[in-house]
């Protein structure tokens, strides 16, 4: 379900789908992209909040793959808080932020800042699309810390739109 979601409410709400949440380019040419692909059919913004489907893209020399991943908007909300905190602590030194599913063996991305404030991303993603039978794993993709402020802005914008849809900031 790609496209733009518009709802008739007090505020004009639109999220162009798929919505890029994370776009991190590695210094070695790698690229990690996380997109909110679609709103889950048949679910509403009731007690459980808005739900949707996520897709991770990983590109490096000789490999381009995309995997549906097991995440929730709540998982993403915790990550946004952790990344914002990690990015601020002592100018990014020796801190981490983890984006993981409730079953961490299915989806886990770690943003790690070293003592020189360089950022490294590692990941282990199992493919939701094939029942978690396949996946990818990568270690220490060094990304420019400029990517972090862009990621934080996109996450904040996404949560502001989801709040308008749900009517609250309770993300599950």
């Amino acid at each position: 379900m790609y496209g733009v979601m518009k709802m008739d409410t007090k505020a004009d709400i639109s999220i162009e789908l798929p919505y890029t949440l994370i776009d991190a380019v590695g210094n070695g040419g790698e690229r990690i992209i996380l997109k909110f692909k679609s709103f889950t059919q048949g679910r509403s913004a009731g007690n459980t909040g808005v739900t949707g489907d996520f897709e991770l893209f990983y590109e490096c020399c000789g490999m381009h793959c995309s995997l549906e991943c097991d995440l929730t908007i709540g998982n993403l909300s915790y990550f946004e808080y952790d990344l914002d905190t990690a990015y601020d602590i002592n100018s990014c030194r020796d801190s981490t932020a983890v984006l993981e599913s409730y079953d961490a063996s299915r989806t886990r991305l770690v943003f790690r800042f070293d003592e020189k404030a360089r950022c490294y991303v590692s990941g282990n993603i199992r493919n939701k699309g094939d029942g978690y039978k396949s996946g990818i794993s990568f270690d220490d993709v060094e990304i420019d810390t400029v990517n972090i402020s862009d990621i934080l802005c996109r996450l904040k914008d996404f949560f502001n739109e989801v709040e308008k849809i749900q009517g609250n900031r309770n993300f599950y």
Side-chain angles (χ1 to χ4, degrees):
M1 176 178 183
Y2 293 98
V4 177
M5 178 180 184
K6 292 191 182 233
M7 301 178 76
D8 293 328
T9 62
K10 294 177 189 172
D12 184 29
I13 300 168
S14 67
I15 296 176
E16 187 174 331
L17 299 176
Y19 185 85
T20 301
L21 299 159
I22 294 174
D23 191 349
V25 178
N27 294 337
E30 305 92 345
R31 189 168 184 191
I32 303 159
I33 302 168
L34 177 68
K35 294 185 178 190
F36 182 77
K37 193 168 111 177
S38 63
F39 289 93
T40 304
Q41 297 269 334
R43 299 257 178 119
S44 68
N47 293 337
T48 60
V50 173
T51 60
D53 298 312
F54 294 85
E55 188 169 22
L56 182 105
F57 298 84
Y58 178 75
E59 300 173 3
C60 67
C61 183
M63 184 165 79
H64 299 278
C65 64
S66 72
L67 306 166
E68 292 179 38
C69 53
D70 188 20
L71 288 172
T72 67
I73 293 174
N75 298 140
L76 196 62
S77 177
Y78 290 126
F79 171 71
E80 185 265 336
Y81 178 81
D82 287 347
L83 185 62
D84 195 23
T85 302
Y87 189 54
D88 287 340
I89 294 176
N90 297 322
S91 301
C92 310
R93 298 183 202 298
D94 296 319
S95 56
T96 60
V98 179
L99 173 60
E100 62 186 358
S101 59
Y102 291 115
D103 178 350
S105 68
R106 292 182 176 172
T107 302
R108 183 173 169 83
L109 280 178
V110 178
F111 284 64
R112 178 182 57 83
F113 298 92
D114 71 6
E115 67 282 349
K116 294 182 181 177
R118 293 178 295 211
C119 184
Y120 298 90
V121 181
S122 298
N124 182 17
I125 315 300
R126 306 297 298 168
N127 186 1
K128 182 178 179 181
D130 73 355
Y132 310 106
K133 294 176 186 173
S134 64
I136 62 165
S137 188
F138 54 90
D139 290 317
D140 290 339
V141 174
E142 184 179 356
I143 64 168
D144 192 326
T145 54
V146 149
N147 288 282
I148 304 302
S149 60
D150 292 340
I151 292 167
L152 288 170
C153 286
R154 294 202 57 81
L155 290 170
K156 287 177 196 298
D157 290 346
F158 177 73
F159 291 124
N160 287 339
E161 292 300 313
V162 172
E163 178 184 16
K164 290 176 189 175
I165 295 167
Q166 286 188 168
N168 63 55
R169 286 192 78 80
N170 298 327
F171 304 122
Y172 301 94

